[in-house]
RNA sequence: GCCGAAGUGGUGGAAUUGGUAGACGCGCUGGCUUCAGGAGCCAGUGGGCGCAAGCUCGUGGGGGUUCGAGUCCCCCCUUCGGCACCA
């Protein structure tokens, strides 16, 4: 009979006695009753704000991806608490928006009735997950006491001239019957339903985020964020350095007096004889053989000659009818000649002015100088319409600068100008500057910076959102709702379907929208659009600490103490939208003097996504993981730990049902080993050495979010503790309970209590790592001969090259490869010895 | 098309950042235990050759740098994300 038989038979604690359901219920009740997870916001020393992106409470319930995200944040937060910080880990619900509204429409239940139920379900599921959340600060964006302040933020922007209304071409989803932000249009289709997005013109509220483009970009340089996220933001902001160049239209007499130029935005010259273009390649000015205006460009009508008027009018009409998909996805070049010519300031030659939809009104000046020799699009257009193509840049290879180009030459590195008058021979980079300077000196241009970022359209012609706090008075015009009148409550209306005319459902509620003007008391009506969900989530982190404050959005003292957010964890799907908008709103509030910081999140880490059996989880595939089922079967501690074990947290991982058993086995072993551990005698120094190595590893891995390797290290230690069926000593395993606590908090509390620990394991300090105890007596050194590993030797950690070499040569299996006297010996202390013969 | 990330055993994934490739887990194989099944425990488990000691090959493919490359450089292939006529 073996030892293991005896051990199983005589075991005082049956492993089956670990019943996660019982343990988890017990500790969740204790935490609630004892306020273990309550944060002392006013008094806590060393505040640590561990924020996670709050979920949208869908009717389907908590997604395993949510739990993965929150668990990762929870482990980080619990670890920081064990390090002595006062950790604040709040949670709330992003419950406004088209998601909820569409679902409500589908099932025929009012969102105001549906959302509270969903939230209750979410809260139940989240609590089962054992998160260290201070539920006293829970919030929902749909609560009037919350969106009162969302509206207040709108008013702050309005006051500062950062909220404005304009009639604009917007992305219109014919299925959801609403306007979409550019960011919500994916390859010309609605992000939500996939319908082809059309162009419509509506009066919309915009935020001037473009005013902040430079700062939003510059601050990225010092933010401690995931690089991938910063890069996504940089690309989204899309800075390009170039020049604005003014072209004079030829034969100005022809236009003077006849042109009616709509100068709507002030961006265009009031003088109809000038066209301004933006280019990143001023160096190619000599190669500009024609100009192109966007069909919507305000100068088009004034420029067009009588002979071309019908053709241009027809083209404009065709473009306007086109939806954005065809316009942006269909890349065949179309266009029409305006009949007019402009003078190229460099060559002094007249060049034709064309109108084409490959030039977009919303970027740059809505007009370009076309350089077909060095731009692929222009090349294609010039080929279709038989316009001249001139080479003005050549690479280092010898070319005939007058030979026709087969394709556009877009290379700039090593290129020099040709056919460019006084600039010929100049390297491209120098020529960019030189041509810009030359233009500036002649009053025909200047260096400018352009951004791809557009202003943020926040209007939504929908029901389920905070009404925009604006009143239109017959006498006073646009009047902001006084702050004392907030919130503008969203009325409960039975018919909340979106109108298919682009008008908000609130416009059907006359009793609501007809009010007296807050300024003059005269006849007025409310704005009937609601604001974008992204505005709700752009400031929620400011509200959490002050969630119970009624008379202001955020208490100044609490805010100074707790913000900016110490650590933010969330999905990279919000890399541009939510993260950019919340940075913008924070900057505005900073500039308005409401807060003393301009960046909301000190540190941001993007977590990965979980797939199942190698495939994305989706309802249609039927491979969605329901957290309830798994928590039921394995326990929350096992489920949490498994989620963290299946891959690097920042990359995600592959959920496989089979593998979860391994984590449960680990917790089973933890249970029996701790409860059977001996308190008499002394701990084994070898095991204690491994323990301290494990403490070091886990302590380093958690802050780096390397949860999977931290768990592996604990498993490894467990194997050492149990090696050869030895009996563990309590001193060996009690620290392991602490190491495991952030991952598996319930079992850790239970074992801590049963093993005689005092109070909550989360009120004890993290075990200290002692380098002296962790130091190895002997280390294994790899021995290579000519770079090939031929064996290993055991030496003292401080062994010298001589000692190591002698030890290696004493091993016949190694020495036999060393045939002559060594030419060279490479010795890396504690790592390897390489003998080059 | 452009930008980004990544390709490692049967499998999820490790690898001190240029130093023993495959930690840890799953699965599999053998053994113990069990009425049986499961669970548990012990041992083994990259491929090839070999009874063995051992030899040899091996991190998507091809070249290179180096005493030494999964890691660095060049070219190519594949997959997954993001952007998409941005001048």
């Amino acid at each position: 009979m073996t030892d293991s038989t005896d051990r199983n038979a005589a075991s005082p604690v049956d492993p089956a006695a670990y019943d996660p359901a019982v343990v988890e219920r017990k500790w969740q009740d204790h935490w609630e009753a004892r306020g273990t997870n309550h944060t002392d916001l006013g008094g806590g020393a060393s505040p640590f704000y561990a924020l996670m992106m709050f979920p949208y409470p869908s009717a389907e319930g908590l997604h395993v991806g949510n739990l993965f995200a929150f668990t990762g944040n929870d482990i980080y937060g619990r670890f920081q608490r064990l390090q002595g910080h006062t950790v604040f880990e709040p949670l709330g619900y992003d419950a406004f928006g088209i998601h909820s509204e569409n679902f409500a429409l589908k099932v025929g239940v009012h969102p105001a009735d549906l959302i509270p139920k969903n939230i209750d379900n979410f809260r139940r599921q989240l609590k089962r997950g054992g998160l260290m959340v201070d539920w006293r600060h829970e919030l929902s964006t749909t609560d009037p006491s919350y969106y009162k302040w969302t509206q207040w933020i709108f008013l702050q922007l309005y006051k500062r001239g950062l909220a404005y209304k304009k009639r604009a071409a917007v992305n219109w989803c014919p299925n959801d019957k609403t306007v979409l932000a550019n960011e919500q249009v994916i390859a010309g289709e609605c992000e939500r339903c996939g319908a082809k997005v059309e162009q419509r013109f509506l009066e919309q509220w915009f935020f001037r985020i473009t005013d902040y483009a430079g700062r939003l970009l510059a601050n990225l340089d010092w933010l401690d964020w995931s690089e991938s996220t910063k890069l996504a933001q940089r690309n989204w902001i899309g800075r390009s350095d170039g020049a604005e160049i003014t072209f004079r239209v030829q034969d100005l007499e022809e236009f003077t007096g006849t042109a009616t130029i709509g100068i709507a935005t002030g961006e265009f010259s009031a003088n109809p004889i000038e066209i301004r273009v933006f280019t990143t390649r001023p160096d190619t000015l000599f190669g500009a053989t024609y100009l192109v205006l966007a069909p919507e460009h305000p100068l088009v009508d004034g420029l067009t000659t009588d002979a071309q008027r019908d053709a241009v009018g027809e083209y404009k009409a065709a473009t306007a009818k086109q939806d954005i998909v065809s316009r942006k996805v269909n890349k065949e070049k179309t266009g029409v000649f305006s009949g007019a010519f402009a003078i190229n300031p460099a060559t002094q030659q007249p060049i034709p002015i064309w109108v084409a939809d490959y030039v977009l009104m919303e970027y740059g000046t809505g007009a370009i100088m076309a350089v077909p020799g060095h731009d692929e699009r222009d090349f294609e257009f010039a080929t279709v319409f038989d316009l001249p193509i001139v080479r003005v840049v050549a690479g280092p290879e010898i070319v005939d600068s007058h030979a026709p180009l087969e394709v556009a030459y877009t290379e700039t590195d090593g290129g020099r100008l040709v056919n460019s008058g006084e600039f010929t021979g100049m390297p491209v980079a120098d020529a960019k500057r030189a041509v810009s300077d030359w233009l500036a000196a002649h009053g025909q241009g200047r260096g400018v910076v352009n951004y791809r970022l557009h202003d943020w359209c926040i209007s939504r012609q929908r029901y389920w959102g905070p009404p925009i706090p604006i009143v239109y008075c017959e006498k006073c015009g646009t009047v902001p709702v006084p702050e004392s009148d907030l919130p503008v409550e969203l009325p409960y209306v039975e018919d909340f379907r979106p109108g298919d005319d682009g008008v908000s459902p609130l416009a059907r509620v006359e009793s609501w929208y007809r009010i007296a003007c807050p300024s003059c008391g005269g006849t007025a009506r409310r704005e009937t659009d609601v604001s974008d969900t992204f505005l709700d989530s752009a400031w929620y982190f400011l509200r959490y600490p002050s969630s119970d404050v009624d008379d202001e959005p955020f208490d100044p003292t609490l805010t100074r103490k707790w913000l900016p957010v110490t650590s933010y964890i969330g999905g990279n799907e919000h890399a541009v939208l939510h993260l950019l908008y919340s940075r913008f709103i924070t900057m505005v509030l900073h500039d308005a003097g409401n807060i003393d910081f301009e960046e909301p999140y000190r540190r941001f880490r993007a977590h990965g996504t979980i797939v199942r059996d190698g495939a994305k989880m989706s309802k249609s595939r039927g491979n969605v993981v329901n957290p309830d089922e798994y928590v039921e079967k394995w326990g929350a501690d096992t489920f949490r730990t498994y989620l963290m074990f299946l891959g690097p947290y920042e990359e995600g991982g592959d959920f496989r049902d089979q593998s979860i058993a391994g984590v449960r086995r680990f917790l089973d072993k933890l249970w029996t080993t701790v409860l059977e551990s001996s308190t008499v005698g002394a701990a084994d120094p070898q095991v204690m050495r491994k323990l301290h190595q494990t403490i070091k590893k886990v302590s380093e891995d958690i802050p780096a979010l390397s949860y999977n390797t931290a768990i592996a290290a604990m498993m490894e230690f467990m194997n050492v503790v149990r090696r050869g069926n030895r009996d563990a000593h309590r001193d060996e395993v009690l620290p392991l309970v602490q190491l495991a606590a952030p991952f598996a908090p319930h079992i850790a509390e239970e074992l801590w209590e049963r093993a005689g620990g005092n109070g909550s394991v989360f009120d004890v300090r993290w075990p200290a790592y002692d380098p002296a105890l962790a130091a190895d007596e002997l280390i294994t050194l790899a021995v290579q001969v000519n770079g090939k590993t031929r064996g290993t030797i055991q030496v003292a950690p401080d062994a010298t090259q001589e000692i190591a070499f002698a030890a290696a040569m004493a091993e016949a299996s190694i020495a036999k490869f060393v045939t002559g006297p060594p030419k060279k010996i490479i010795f890396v202390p504690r790592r390897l010895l390489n003998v080059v013969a």
Side-chain angles (χ1 to χ4, degrees):
Chain A
M1 209 174 244
T2 64
D3 283 2
S4 65
T5 324
D6 281 332
R7 188 168 179 262
N8 272 352
S11 177
V13 184
D14 185 350
Y18 169 48
D19 183 347
V22 173
V23 172
E24 289 169 10
R25 165 63 64 82
K26 169 183 163 181
W27 285 98
Q28 284 168 20
D29 289 349
H30 276 5
W31 292 335
E32 194 140 340
R34 298 172 184 173
T36 310
N37 299 337
H38 290 178
T39 308
D40 178 7
L41 291 176
S46 184
F48 192 103
Y49 191 165
L51 181 69
M52 46 195 141
M53 286 185 182
F54 64 167
Y56 151 68
S58 73
E60 291 87 30
L62 194 66
H63 188 269
V64 68
N66 296 136
L67 208 54
F68 174 76
F70 300 157
T71 302
N73 185 65
D74 191 52
I75 289 165
Y76 193 64
R78 287 181 182 273
F79 175 74
Q80 295 299 341
R81 173 167 173 169
L82 288 161
Q83 298 292 312
H85 292 111
T86 305
V87 176
F88 182 43
E89 203 179 300
L91 204 50
Y93 308 97
D94 188 19
F96 262 140
I98 203 164
H99 262 109
S100 320
E101 193 179 309
N102 283 351
F103 186 83
L105 285 165
K106 200 171 116 194
V107 298
V109 182
H110 196 281
D113 302 324
L114 195 67
I115 287 296
K117 287 197 189 103
N118 293 353
I119 287 179
D120 287 345
N121 187 40
F122 259 65
R123 189 186 302 109
R124 177 191 62 78
Q125 290 186 297
L126 289 163
K127 285 190 173 177
R128 281 188 86 179
L131 301 171
M132 197 177 71
V133 166
D134 186 345
W135 291 102
R136 298 173 306 173
H137 291 272
E138 185 191 64
L139 59 80
S140 170
T141 55
T142 55
D143 194 331
S145 68
Y146 180 88
Y147 70 69
K148 169 182 180 177
W149 302 112
T150 307
Q151 293 169 335
W152 176 85
I153 283 174
F154 176 93
L155 294 177
Q156 307 315 302
L157 275 102
Y158 184 81
K159 263 199 280 190
R160 301 182 65 77
L162 293 169
Y164 67 99
K165 207 172 188 191
K166 76 172 177 195
R167 197 174 137 80
V170 292
N171 305 297
W172 173 259
C173 173
N175 184 50
D176 291 337
K177 299 186 172 61
T178 190
V179 169
L180 301 173
N182 282 331
E183 294 86 336
Q184 291 167 314
V185 180
I186 310 299
E189 291 176 356
C190 173
E191 173 191 62
R192 230 164 283 289
C193 68
K196 279 174 68 173
V197 174
E198 298 169 356
Q199 254 189 92
R200 276 217 184 175
F201 285 86
L202 290 174
E203 288 277 315
Q204 306 282 328
W205 282 99
F206 285 83
F207 283 168
R208 284 190 209 280
I209 190 171
T210 49
D211 281 6
Y212 285 72
R215 265 163 89 187
L216 288 167
L217 184 69
N219 283 3
L220 290 173
D221 291 344
W222 56 264
L223 285 178
D224 175 17
W225 282 26
S226 297
E227 277 308 315
S228 60
T229 311
K230 291 210 268 188
L231 189 70
Q233 293 220 345
R234 285 195 182 100
N235 290 340
W236 194 262
I237 295 168
R239 178 187 166 115
S240 17
D241 288 276
E244 201 174 88
I245 303 177
T246 305
F247 285 75
R248 294 207 174 88
V249 177
Q250 202 183 26
D251 276 337
L252 59 115
E253 301 87 339
E254 202 176 313
F255 303 103
T256 312
T258 63
T260 27
I261 310 300
I263 310 299
T265 62
E267 284 176 37
F268 301 95
S269 163
N271 186 343
I273 61 166
E274 287 186 346
I275 295 172
R276 291 192 291 161
V277 306
F278 173 71
T279 179
T280 55
R281 296 291 306 275
D283 55 298
T284 61
L285 180 59
F286 284 80
T289 53
Y290 62 101
L291 296 186
V292 188
L293 304 191
E296 302 86 355
H297 197 288
L299 291 181
V300 169
D301 289 341
L303 288 169
T304 303
T305 59
D306 289 339
Q308 290 298 102
R309 198 163 300 283
D310 288 351
V312 170
E314 218 170 276
Y315 186 75
K316 281 182 64 173
T319 308
K321 251 191 283 172
Q322 243 182 357
D323 57 83
I324 290 168
V325 188
S326 315
R327 169 110 185 228
K328 294 206 166 179
V329 174
N330 186 353
K331 301 202 173 161
E332 277 119 64
K333 295 289 175 286
T334 61
V336 61
F337 178 43
S338 70
F341 290 82
I343 303 296
N344 181 322
T347 63
Q348 293 299 322
Q349 294 301 305
I351 57 175
I353 302 170
W354 283 69
V355 176
D357 68 357
Y358 82 95
V359 173
L360 308 174
M361 195 58 225
E362 63 264 26
Y363 185 76
T365 61
I368 62 156
M369 65 174 202
V371 184
H374 305 282
D375 180 281
E376 282 164 15
R377 296 152 302 179
D378 297 343
F379 187 93
E380 198 189 325
F381 189 84
T383 307
V384 172
F385 293 101
D386 203 20
L387 292 157
I389 299 168
V390 177
R391 178 195 275 276
V392 290
V393 177
E397 66 282 356
I398 313 246
V399 293
D400 172 3
S401 62
H402 295 289
L405 281 155
E406 301 289 320
V407 289
Y409 181 81
T410 55
E411 190 63 45
T412 54
D413 287 347
R416 283 172 186 274
L417 299 209
V418 295
N419 301 326
S420 296
E422 62 187 277
F423 301 99
T424 295
M426 200 178 268
V428 166
D430 298 349
K432 282 187 181 181
R433 208 172 315 113
V435 173
S436 285
D437 291 348
W438 181 87
L439 283 166
H442 291 75
Q444 293 219 255
R446 62 195 172 100
V448 293
V449 173
N450 238 297
Y451 295 97
R452 216 189 69 119
L453 186 69
H454 292 51
D455 273 346
W456 174 15
C457 175
I458 61 132
S459 289
R460 293 294 178 275
Q461 290 68 42
R462 300 286 292 219
Y463 169 69
W464 194 232
I468 293 173
I470 287 288
V471 169
Y472 302 105
C473 170
E474 285 179 358
K475 284 204 203 84
C476 318
T478 302
V479 180
V481 172
E483 289 181 18
S484 55
D485 288 357
L486 297 181
V488 178
E489 282 210 45
L490 180 68
Y492 188 104
V493 297
E494 291 297 338
D495 179 14
F496 57 91
R497 284 174 299 113
D500 52 10
D501 47 3
V503 175
S504 164
L506 291 177
R508 296 193 293 261
V509 190
E510 203 179 318
S511 58
W512 178 80
Y513 76 68
R514 281 206 190 287
I515 58 156
C517 171
S519 180
C520 71
T523 312
R525 50 169 297 158
R526 292 188 184 280
E527 166 65 65
T528 54
D529 285 356
V530 298
S531 60
D532 183 7
T533 333
F534 279 109
L535 183 57
D536 303 329
S537 57
W539 74 281
Y540 76 113
F541 50 91
L542 285 165
R543 182 64 182 167
Y544 275 136
S546 311
S547 59
D548 46 5
V549 177
D550 291 332
D551 55 350
E552 51 192 348
F554 34 84
D555 174 81
T557 311
L558 284 174
T559 304
R560 211 170 300 120
K561 188 175 170 84
W562 286 92
L563 283 128
V565 169
T566 323
S567 160
Y568 194 25
I569 288 178
N572 232 350
E573 68 273 20
H574 292 116
V576 283
L577 310 177
H578 160 63
L579 287 174
L580 195 65
Y581 292 148
S582 52
R583 292 181 60 213
F584 164 61
I585 293 296
T586 303
M587 271 182 201
V588 172
L589 292 173
H590 168 266
D591 293 355
N594 291 295
I595 49 182
D596 58 6
F597 52 92
E598 65 169 34
E599 285 291 342
Y601 322 113
R602 275 187 215 286
R603 170 182 150 118
F604 172 75
R605 291 293 178 275
H607 64 248
T609 48
I610 301 199
V611 298
R612 188 179 188 184
D613 300 319
K616 210 176 198 168
M617 280 184 225
S618 71
K619 264 187 276 180
S620 56
R621 246 189 224 97
N623 65 344
V624 175
V625 172
N626 176 358
D628 280 338
E629 267 172 46
Y630 286 84
V631 169
E632 195 78 46
K633 182 166 180 198
W634 299 99
D637 284 336
T638 296
F639 193 55
R640 285 168 59 105
T641 310
Y642 176 60
L643 287 176
M644 297 301 109
F645 185 58
L646 47 70
Y649 186 65
E650 289 174 88
E651 283 164 39
D654 194 350
F655 192 99
R656 308 216 162 200
D657 285 32
Q658 261 186 338
S659 326
I660 195 169
V663 171
R664 174 58 191 267
R665 279 201 268 272
F666 169 68
L667 294 183
D668 282 339
K669 286 180 197 167
L670 184 67
W671 180 269
T672 41
T673 309
V674 171
L675 295 184
E676 287 178 3
S677 63
S678 155
T679 49
V680 296
D684 181 337
Q686 303 278 349
V687 175
M688 290 305 280
R689 175 177 305 140
K690 185 70 180 173
L691 171 67
H692 279 269
Q693 291 170 347
T694 305
I695 292 172
K696 180 175 197 282
K697 174 82 176 145
V698 174
S699 308
E700 287 170 357
D701 280 357
I702 292 180
L705 308 184
S706 299
Y707 299 140
N708 55 334
T709 52
I711 295 164
M714 289 189 279
M715 289 173 165
E716 213 176 307
F717 175 61
M718 177 65 78
N719 292 340
V720 169
V721 168
R722 295 169 60 93
R723 190 162 49 199
N725 273 322
R726 65 181 288 279
D727 287 321
H729 192 276
R730 179 132 319 162
D731 293 348
E732 297 162 4
V733 291
L734 205 52
L736 178 62
V737 171
Q738 294 178 278
L739 297 185
F743 299 87
H746 313 85
I747 191 176
E749 290 273 39
E750 181 69 19
L751 291 174
W752 185 255
E753 184 182 75
R754 291 208 196 191
N758 262 333
S760 168
V761 68
F762 294 103
D763 290 329
V764 180
R765 272 305 190 87
W766 188 251
Y769 156 67
D770 184 341
L773 284 175
D776 283 304
E777 282 169 348
L778 284 177
I779 54 150
T780 306
L781 207 62
V783 181
Q784 299 183 336
V785 179
N786 292 326
K788 283 197 176 191
T789 304
R790 296 301 184 178
T792 59
I793 51 170
Q794 302 287 316
V795 292
D798 56 354
T800 62
Q801 177 176 319
E802 288 68 30
I803 293 171
F805 182 69
M809 289 308 106
E811 297 282 335
S813 58
I814 297 171
K816 70 178 179 183
F817 291 100
V818 183
T819 48
K823 279 196 206 116
K824 191 171 165 189
I825 295 175
I826 287 127
F827 178 67
V828 183
R830 306 180 67 93
R831 293 267 175 267
L832 97 168
L833 179 78
N834 185 6
V835 181
V836 184

